[in-house]
Amino acid sequence: MKNSIKKSLSNMGFSLPKSIKVAGSYVPFLKENKFLFISGQLPIKNNKVLFLGKINEENKNYGYKAAQLCALNILGLINIAIKGNFSEIIRCVRINGFVNCEKSFFEHPFVINGASDLIKKILKKKGLHTRTAIGVSSLPFNASVEVDAIFSTK
């Protein structure tokens, strides 16, 4: 299954990150019983935040792409946590998305769809999930979006 995931990502112009550094005093993931908790992921590639600043009506597609990159990092951490055996994943249970946005912006769901759409496209039925999309006044390192996730595992 890992190769099909890599191929699907490659067809979309993405590749799984091989390592992801944490930005504080926490672990990037935690497997507890049948659940895999993924810490909040920023739109980081090669240890650099690629999507910065506030999201508003004019740049909501920028936010969507930021959320996609957050989801890609989530998939990378899953890959590390389950040692490449994606058949261990039963389903994505929940995604929580945070959008660094202007006070007048209300399309948080559209932005976090970037993460949801990628997870669903890659994991198919296993990618259907519950979700929260919240607007916030700031995020770490001035990132535009942050996304965390919970997965059920075998």
Side-chain angles (χ1 to χ4, degrees):
M1 184 171 193
K2 181 179 176 184
N3 287 336
S4 66
I5 286 174
K6 280 185 168 182
K7 185 176 181 179
S8 294
L9 286 169
S10 178
N11 290 341
M12 296 174 67
F14 298 117
S15 61
L16 283 174
K18 293 181 182 9
S19 68
I20 296 171
K21 291 184 179 182
V22 296
S25 298
Y26 62 92
V27 293
F29 61 85
L30 186 64
K31 195 157 184 323
E32 184 67 29
N33 297 318
K34 300 267 182 188
F35 290 99
L36 176 60
F37 296 85
I38 305 293
S39 293
Q41 295 302 298
L42 301 176
I44 291 176
K45 185 173 183 178
N46 299 325
N47 298 316
K48 183 178 181 196
V49 179
L50 296 188
F51 295 86
L52 296 166
K54 301 253 182 233
I55 300 300
N56 56 44
E57 191 60 40
E58 288 75 44
N59 70 353
K60 66 183 180 182
N61 290 324
Y62 178 85
Y64 182 97
K65 290 177 182 173
Q68 277 185 319
L69 184 52
C70 294
L72 182 65
N73 289 333
I74 287 169
L75 291 170
L77 283 172
I78 292 169
N79 185 48
I80 293 165
I82 61 176
K83 298 174 177 55
N85 185 5
F86 275 88
S87 65
E88 286 290 309
I89 297 297
I90 294 172
R91 80 172 311 117
C92 181
V93 176
R94 182 148 185 92
I95 287 178
N96 296 306
F98 305 90
V99 181
N100 178 5
C101 61
E102 302 288 342
K103 284 190 340 185
S104 62
F105 184 72
F106 302 109
E107 293 194 57
H108 317 104
F110 173 84
V111 172
I112 302 305
N113 279 348
S116 291
D117 292 348
L118 183 67
I119 296 289
K120 289 188 302 187
K121 190 164 197 163
I122 297 305
L123 298 179
K124 313 281 188 246
K125 287 182 182 178
K126 293 179 178 188
L128 299 175
H129 55 271
T130 63
R131 187 181 86 180
T132 299
I134 299 171
V136 297
S137 64
S138 69
L139 286 171
F141 309 110
N142 196 30
S144 295
V145 177
E146 182 172 353
V147 180
D148 67 52
I150 302 169
F151 292 83
S152 60
T153 62
K154 292 182 181 175

